[in-house]
Amino acid sequence: MTTPNRWRLAALPLALLVAGCAGPGARPDSSSGPLPDKTPPPMAHVAESFLTAPMPEHEIDSVAAWNLPDGSTWLIATGKETNQLVVYDGNTGAMLRTIGGKGDAPGQFLRPNGIAVFGDILFVVERDNHRVQLLELPSFRPLLAFGADELKSPYGLWLHELAPRELELFVTDSFMADYRIELAPPLDQLDQRVKRYHVDLRGATPRATLVEQFGDTSEKGALRMVESIAGDPVNDRLLIAEEDIRIGTTLREYRMDGTYTGRSLPPERFQAQAEGVALWACADGSGYWITADQNPERTAFHVFDRQSLVFKGSFAGNQVAVTDGIWLHAVGTRAFPNGVLYVSHNDEGAGAFDWRDIAKALALRTDCTTP
């Protein structure tokens, strides 16, 4: 959720960080409050592998990637202003085509925002059509649209597989009492901030059913402005970005059942606005959380241990700024054999960071990639 002119920070200092890579750690205890955070090390510098050509007319928000059967990779981005999807070459950043246009018919969009890929199906959240749309890849053939009866102002999404071809989908719903001043609803209405759907892909026609909606209604745990969300069922964890800087922007930790744990990532880590979040999950249970701090000068990307949420380090690129959505592509591509972090950039395009470069700068593992 880009909110220009709310803040302006000095340019981030850059210095090479070399941090130790600890093995899997224990979960923090269940005591409430922010997770402990020590004095941060210097910001690491990781150069972008590519930046796409600027196209500010699209107001690019979020990105997702898909490896084609021929070995090529698509990077697909949502264009909020043009009501289109923008397709890039995921290895070079070259713009390939656009999909859709303004409308509410199948294959059309109205303010597309969150985006994700599962198998050969693309999920797109449309804020102003109040729905989620499924499209088949590589044809972009519309398969299903749902949620219009329940969603008010949806933004982000995260999904995972419950069983073969059965998914659990979480959609954030950041409706406001007054959009003119970004006034959140009363606390007792914030129990509708996240919608949980069951998506069935087993038949000829996909089906989606609302299972529940949730959100904490306490002063401490409520989600006032929400967009990005990601989960880790192995550790019974959802991380949900609280974007309201007036109460302190951070990522709140919820359990998979939708209850607030009482913990959040250290708010002092986020100097601008907590935005994109993604998990790098290794088969042995270890891994890393990556979060984006949406600085208008340069986005800071913070890395935390998957299990313990201990802070591992931060990095920034040469130019990437004002990042909304991010996509950790933990699958090798022609240009990025050990995976890649794709990010939105400055509302006008996308960028890529080679995971090998991130891992070298922060002393992280490179051997979690799916072959």
Side-chain angles (χ1 to χ4, degrees), residues 29 51 73 98 242 285 296 304 334 370:
D29 63 37
L51 284 174
T73 301
T98 58
E242 168 59 78
F304 300 86
R334 289 171 179 166
T370 302

Side-chain angles (χ1 to χ4, degrees), residues 7-84:
W7 59 80
R8 184 173 180 83
L9 301 180
L12 293 169
L14 294 180
L16 182 64
L17 163 69
V18 178
C21 181
R27 275 177 71 101
D29 63 37
S30 59
S31 59
S32 61
L35 290 156
D37 195 20
K38 298 180 180 179
T39 302
M43 185 76 63
H45 171 225
V46 179
E48 298 89 343
S49 295
F50 69 69
L51 284 174
T52 64
M55 295 189 295
E57 67 275 13
H58 284 289
E59 195 177 340
I60 297 295
D61 185 275
S62 297
V63 293
W66 184 62
N67 282 10
L68 282 73
D70 66 4
S72 58
T73 301
W74 282 351
L75 175 60
I76 309 168
T78 51
K80 295 185 293 189
E81 280 297 309
T82 56
N83 302 291
Q84 292 180 320

Side-chain angles (χ1 to χ4, degrees), residues 260-273:
Y260 178 51
T261 67
R263 294 189 297 264
S264 301
L265 294 185
E268 61 268 25
R269 180 65 54 217
F270 299 91
Q271 301 300 308
Q273 188 178 48

Side-chain angles (χ1 to χ4, degrees), residues 109-124:
F109 307 100
L110 202 58
R111 197 76 177 179
N113 204 82
I115 187 170
V117 173
F118 174 82
D120 60 355
I121 297 179
L122 182 69
F123 290 71
V124 181

